[in-house]
Amino acid sequence: MSLPQEKVTVPLVRAMKAQGRRIAMVTAYDYPTGRLVDEAGADIALVGDSLAMVVLGHETTLPVTVEEMLHHTRAVRRGVKRALLVADMPFGSYQGSVPEAVANAARFLKEAGADAVKVEGGRRVVEAVRQMVEHGIPVMGHLGLTPQSVRQYGGFKVQGRDEEERQALLEDAKALEEAGVFSIVLECIPAALAAEITASVRVPTIGIGAGPDCDGQVLVIHDMLGLSGDFKPRFVKRYADLGQLAREAISRYCQEVREGTFPTAEHAYS
Ligand code: KIV
């Protein structure tokens, strides 16, 4: 299958919805994952704050800092040529004053080479989003199960199941669109609600645990490649089990070192 060639830009992502082209987004956290995601033809590489959990070993996304996110975004930037590079703004970096939120967002474009930033939340963040967009910073929204609110939810739980939450999410999506986001991630909400939101906004929606009717999909690379241990929620599809392959390879290496069968003469310099 031939891979798409054109450089992905914010206007292209917007246009893909109108053209009925589905958007493939995958997370990346460093140079090798950035390269793999780009070479495989993903449209968007997301440096997610899931970095905190899948790379840094924290239990939630809350502890990751702006400096850590910038560091990893720079590394991904070196590997990504075609895909749009979006960086997550971490917890605490945009919930304070609007000028502080805009200044932090600008750092991702200026110091790390991101093409856009992503923020979680609806009406409560629209003023910050509006100002970022005003200042030339493209913003992706994120609604539904927004992991930075995990303490408020009391755990990672499906959102939007009752009528009040359904209405709130529809209004949040409209508010984000009006504030100028170029796309919206919908995480862990009922498929029917994701379809309703997708039909009600002109910007593309990108689902994760939100059913098949969003304009695009996103998965965390560690989950899709089997690198997240036993963690496998219903919405994850495991496309490979690299964790098992890696364990077997490392264990074979250890055994050969102990037996003295690696290295041999062919690995030695004369
Ligand atoms: O941090 C992340 O990886 C995300 C995606 C799951 C959308 O926000």
Side-chain angles (χ1 to χ4, degrees):
M1 199 172 89
S2 72
L3 294 175
Q5 296 298 319
E6 81 263 59
K7 171 105 187 79
V8 183
T9 60
V10 164
L12 178 64
V13 171
R14 281 178 174 277
M16 284 171 84
K17 176 164 182 146
Q19 295 165 359
R21 286 169 66 189
R22 293 167 74 81
I23 299 159
M25 177 159 109
V26 186
T27 65
Y29 307 103
D30 52 18
Y31 175 68
T33 52
R35 261 185 70 173
L36 287 171
V37 164
D38 198 60
E39 288 169 0
D43 302 304
I44 304 178
L46 170 69
V47 188
D49 61 352
S50 48
L51 167 79
M53 299 172 75
V54 298
V55 175
L56 303 179
H58 295 293
E59 290 198 344
T60 70
T61 59
L62 302 180
V64 74
T65 64
V66 169
E67 297 307 327
E68 287 168 328
M69 289 300 298
L70 287 169
H71 174 75
H72 285 267
T73 304
R74 282 184 206 107
V76 175
R77 175 73 284 170
R78 292 178 206 118
V80 170
K81 307 287 178 239
R82 172 191 168 268
L84 189 81
L85 177 55
V86 180
D88 249 338
M89 293 194 66
F91 180 62
S93 67
Y94 59 96
Q95 289 88 346
S97 74
V98 169
E100 187 192 3
V102 175
N104 279 329
R107 292 189 68 191
F108 283 91
L109 273 65
K110 193 182 174 80
E111 297 177 33
D115 297 312
V117 297
K118 175 165 82 57
V119 299
E120 295 184 6
R123 283 159 290 177
R124 66 174 192 262
V125 297
V126 289
E127 208 32 59
V129 169
R130 204 186 314 280
Q131 287 303 316
M132 288 174 198
V133 174
E134 273 293 297
H135 288 85
I137 302 166
V139 183
M140 176 181 278
H142 185 159
L143 294 174
L145 195 179
T146 45
Q148 293 175 13
S149 302
V150 61
R151 298 290 183 232
Q152 214 156 24
Y153 304 143
F156 295 100
K157 296 177 182 163
V158 175
Q159 302 294 304
R161 279 193 161 140
D162 67 37
E163 184 50 29
E164 197 180 327
E165 284 181 4
R166 178 183 153 274
Q167 272 305 332
L169 285 169
L170 281 161
E171 283 170 35
D172 281 341
K174 282 278 183 206
L176 286 175
E177 176 180 35
E178 192 268 325
V181 298
F182 69 94
S183 56
I184 304 173
V185 168
L186 299 177
E187 178 164 354
C188 287
I189 61 172
L193 175 56
E196 195 178 354
I197 294 173
T198 300
S200 74
V201 291
R202 288 182 308 275
V203 293
T205 60
I206 301 178
I208 175 164
D213 295 319
C214 296
D215 299 302
Q217 294 291 324
V218 54
L219 279 180
V220 168
I221 192 164
H222 288 62
D223 297 344
M224 68 185 284
L225 296 183
L227 294 167
S228 307
D230 293 335
F231 177 78
K232 193 181 171 304
R234 183 191 174 98
F235 62 80
V236 167
K237 179 167 176 186
R238 204 171 261 184
Y239 286 84
D241 192 352
L242 299 193
Q244 186 56 23
L245 281 178
R247 261 189 305 276
E248 283 168 13
I250 297 164
S251 139
R252 222 169 50 240
Y253 158 79
C254 293
Q255 194 182 341
E256 290 185 7
V257 168
R258 289 180 190 127
E259 288 169 347
T261 52
F262 174 83
T264 60
E266 77 180 275
H267 306 108
Y269 297 107
S270 53

